[in-house]
Amino acid sequence: MNAKTSEPAASAGAPATDWLACPSCRALVYRKRFERADGVCPSCGAHAPLSAARRLEALLDPGSARPLTAAETVHDPLSFADLKPYPDRLSAARAATGHADAVRVAAGTVSGHPVVVAAMDFAFMGGSLGVAAGEAVAMAAEAALARRAPLVLVTSSGGARMQEGALALMQMAKTAAAMAALDEAGILTVTVIADPTYGGVAASFATLADVVVCEPGARMGFAGPRVIEQTIGQRLPDGFQTAEFLLRHGLVDAVHPRGELRRTLAVLLASARGHPDHTGPARAGRDDRVAELPRPAPAPVVRDPARLAVRSAPEVVAAARDLRRPTTRDHLAYWMDTFVELRGDRAGADCPAIVGGLGTVEGRAVVVLGHQKGHTTAELVRADFAMASPAGYRKAIRLARLAEKIGVPLVTLIDTPGAHPGIEAEQQGQAGAIADCLRVFTGLRVPVVAVVTGEGGSGGALALGVADRVLIAANALYSVISPEGCAAILWKTREESPAAARALGLDARSLLELGVVDGVVPEPEGGAQADPAAASLTLRDAVLGTLDELAVLDPAERMRRRRRRLRGFGLPGPTATGTDRARFEDIDEEESA
Ligand SMILES: [Zn+2]
């Protein structure tokens, strides 16, 4: 392995017991300080390898760890020998680490939340995945399943253990099956990628977790850099396969320093606690916790169009596009007690125009995702002007599926001029990605609330807009096409966009009349731009109140109503509005009382 991953060596000239030289920056570090920081260099932040035992100590609450031991496995199935017989290598590794193989498992708690942790030890034969390691990971998954506790895997491995031949290879499939069982059971899985994670571990359980967090600088990939360089005959770019590279390419959710991992895990575990059986009534399981919480005031939502002022179309368009309005990141900052941003489509890209993650609002676990604009040109550029790529929609689907898996409501915030029009977007399947959003969102069994917070532009907006309830901020708009685009096509000149805006009925009042939205969330005097904090908190209360209304329905009934809502769009008769007003009767009564 390269110098970066080797154990920091005692520096010559300094007392070996007291001082270390950081292998990255060569700074002399007081050994005790280095150990207190769990192997992170205080000068340059480099993360040195951590033994599995130290890792369990660093992650779990003090005194909470109970070691779990995997079943006995075959030791040398092939009677393998290279330069040395395999049993000799095993004995040496066992003597050096004091452990039977490369994975240690413990049940315990993180900030009081029950969890099962399996940690790999690179010091044990390069953390290679043999039968015993595969068995330990599978056992850890089964223990998590039996306890209905989330599973955390800390990976560090060169790949499959060659000395155990095809049986080592099969551990990839064994562990993948164990992860799939946790998916079926709705149990959260998290991987912490430590340097390095390659080959069979990267291509099985490491990347199958719901959330993949990397330590800074940690490298992960299928093929190692040397193999790739030899095969393609090219030098690899700096930083190839590092955590930061993986994040940029949408392959991992986040990069968090070792010192922050416990806090990150605590947020994730708190949000996924006590997942209910989806098929049971919503009142079971986690919703007991919701019931314990103080009931918020009824959602501040206007459901009668007559109570809304009639406004001119150009005024509506200008207000909806005002860059001072709170963005999705602003709402997240105002709303969330705790939050972990989750990034990437896990297929090669992370789209900055859609952001989202998992956390809690007023004590309630939610997955929130939405289009991200910006207040300045620089922020808009960074967010691709909120015009999402297929990777953005695939990220949205990934987060929606996570919400579904762990039984947490989904909230989407819509604010986009439209999906990104471009060559790459088309090559990567923009149309299919949007269509897939629509399909996945129709089938979610968890409560879904969508809010048009600014500009609801066309299919790129609707992709996040299939929900049990769709709300719109009073100054937002929602339209099949931009007024400029409509004018250019039908009036043959963009000058006529005010006329197009009027004709399209894209304002909140018109949309409520059409039943395209179920409620309008009032904005402060002067619009959300005048008082972003107040506007955002009103929106939050509207969302929480709406989620409470939805929580009393069982999932099957919720889904039936969601589909009926979609089916009713444009039909004449009592459900002509698309809003099934009958189901609001009790709420309207409450409101007028
Ligand atoms: Zn250093």
Side-chain angles (χ1 to χ4, degrees):
M1 295 320 304
N2 74 16
K4 210 178 151 199
T5 61
S6 63
E7 201 66 56
S11 169
T17 49
D18 289 347
W19 293 89
L20 298 164
C22 167
S24 272
C25 70
R26 310 307 304 166
L28 280 183
V29 184
Y30 191 49
R31 182 187 285 273
K32 280 188 178 153
R33 189 173 173 205
F34 181 77
E35 282 170 1
R36 267 201 310 275
D38 290 323
V40 178
C41 170
S43 293
C44 73
H47 285 51
L50 210 54
S51 73
R54 287 283 309 283
R55 181 65 75 167
L56 293 174
E57 261 173 47
L59 289 181
L60 291 168
D61 294 336
S64 76
R66 288 200 315 287
L68 303 177
T69 310
E72 189 71 9
T73 54
V74 293
H75 289 276
D76 183 14
L78 303 177
S79 302
F80 194 94
D82 44 84
L83 299 177
K84 239 194 223 178
Y86 174 45
D88 292 359
R89 289 193 189 274
L90 264 183
S91 306
R94 283 171 182 160
T97 62
H99 193 58
D101 214 287
V103 176
R104 281 197 191 208
V105 183
T109 56
V110 175
S111 293
H113 305 294
V115 67
V116 174
V117 182
M120 302 192 80
D121 206 325
F122 196 80
F124 195 103
M125 296 188 70
S128 54
L129 177 63
V131 176
E135 185 59 27
V137 170
M139 179 275 290
E142 285 159 6
L145 185 62
R147 289 167 168 76
R148 299 201 66 79
L151 175 67
V152 174
L153 303 161
V154 186
T155 62
S156 183
S157 171
R161 190 173 297 172
M162 292 172 278
Q163 293 89 339
E164 295 183 10
L167 283 179
L169 184 67
M170 293 307 124
Q171 302 311 307
M172 293 170 65
K174 178 197 280 188
T175 54
M179 295 296 278
L182 295 181
D183 289 340
E184 284 159 21
I187 292 171
L188 180 75
T189 54
V190 181
T191 308
V192 175
I193 306 284
D195 187 65
T197 295
Y198 277 110
V201 169
S204 63
F205 53 92
T207 47
L208 289 176
D210 299 313
V211 178
V212 180
V213 181
C214 276
E215 290 194 332
R219 294 160 301 162
M220 179 183 72
F222 183 59
R226 230 170 317 162
V227 171
I228 299 174
E229 280 189 334
Q230 281 165 12
T231 308
I232 65 172
Q234 285 173 31
R235 246 191 74 79
L236 294 169
D238 284 343
F240 183 70
Q241 293 180 323
T242 60
E244 298 70 20
F245 169 97
L246 299 167
L247 187 66
R248 221 165 37 244
H249 291 280
L251 301 175
V252 300
D253 287 287
V255 179
H256 290 295
R258 195 168 285 169
E260 287 176 16
L261 287 175
R262 264 178 62 82
R263 198 175 48 200
T264 301
L265 285 180
V267 172
L268 294 171
L269 301 180
S271 307
R273 191 160 66 98
H275 154 72
D277 178 4
H278 288 296
T279 56
R283 282 173 294 277
R286 72 176 308 105
D287 288 332
D288 286 347
R289 279 193 305 140
V290 172
E292 289 162 14
L293 294 166
R295 235 191 107 76
V301 172
V302 177
R303 297 191 171 90
D304 178 4
R307 286 173 54 193
L308 296 165
V310 179
R311 295 156 62 238
S312 83
E315 187 193 343
V316 169
V317 174
R321 291 175 178 170
D322 194 309
L323 289 184
R324 292 168 300 169
R325 292 178 71 78
T327 65
T328 291
R329 284 199 189 279
D330 295 333
H331 290 305
L332 289 169
Y334 288 125
W335 296 10
M336 308 300 290
D337 322 318
T338 64
F339 185 69
V340 175
E341 183 176 357
L342 304 176
R343 287 175 54 179
D345 67 351
R346 295 274 176 90
D350 179 48
C351 172
I354 290 183
V355 300
L358 177 63
T360 54
V361 186
E362 301 283 292
R364 295 159 171 78
V366 283
V367 168
V368 183
L369 62 93
H371 302 100
Q372 174 62 22
K373 275 195 177 172
H375 301 297
T376 63
T377 306
E379 284 177 11
L380 283 168
V381 168
R382 224 173 310 156
D384 285 349
F385 295 86
M387 296 192 292
S389 64
Y393 295 112
R394 289 181 184 128
K395 170 160 65 178
I397 289 170
R398 194 168 81 74
L399 295 189
R401 288 197 167 126
L402 172 63
E404 175 79 350
K405 176 182 158 178
I406 62 176
V408 162
L410 175 66
V411 176
T412 66
L413 305 177
I414 296 165
D415 188 13
T416 177
H420 194 272
I423 294 170
E424 275 188 17
E426 293 300 317
Q427 281 170 348
Q428 291 157 6
Q430 184 70 290
I434 293 170
D436 214 14
C437 266
L438 303 179
R439 173 169 58 185
V440 169
F441 279 50
T442 58
L444 296 173
R445 287 167 296 175
V446 292
V448 185
V449 175
V451 190
V452 186
T453 60
E455 207 177 352
S458 191
L462 177 63
L464 304 190
V466 174
D468 297 303
R469 299 282 164 85
V470 179
L471 307 177
I472 188 167
N475 285 315
L477 66 82
Y478 201 1
S479 179
V480 65
I481 187 170
S482 72
E484 293 82 0
C486 178
I489 295 167
L490 297 181
W491 276 263
K492 316 289 180 205
T493 167
R494 293 172 77 87
E495 307 290 298
E496 290 295 338
S497 63
R502 258 191 311 281
L504 284 166
L506 42 64
D507 62 290
R509 191 179 199 272
S510 307
L511 293 160
L512 188 59
E513 273 170 356
L514 287 173
V516 168
V517 301
D518 305 303
V520 177
V521 185
E523 294 190 22
E525 194 71 39
Q529 52 271 39
D531 191 347
S536 181
L537 293 177
T538 305
L539 215 57
R540 178 200 68 184
D541 293 345
V543 166
L544 288 179
T546 307
L547 284 175
D548 279 356
E549 292 162 16
L550 293 168
V552 300
L553 301 172
D554 81 28
E557 176 62 13
R558 212 159 39 218
M559 205 152 77
R560 197 183 63 76
R561 291 186 185 195
R562 189 186 309 158
R563 289 184 170 166
R564 196 172 64 185
R565 179 184 185 281
L566 299 172
R567 187 70 178 76
F569 283 128
L571 295 183
T575 59
T577 61
T579 301
D580 181 357
R581 296 208 179 272
R583 70 196 153 95
F584 289 132
E585 265 171 13
D586 50 347
I587 298 152
D588 285 337
E589 275 161 23
E590 249 173 57
E591 203 177 39
S592 48

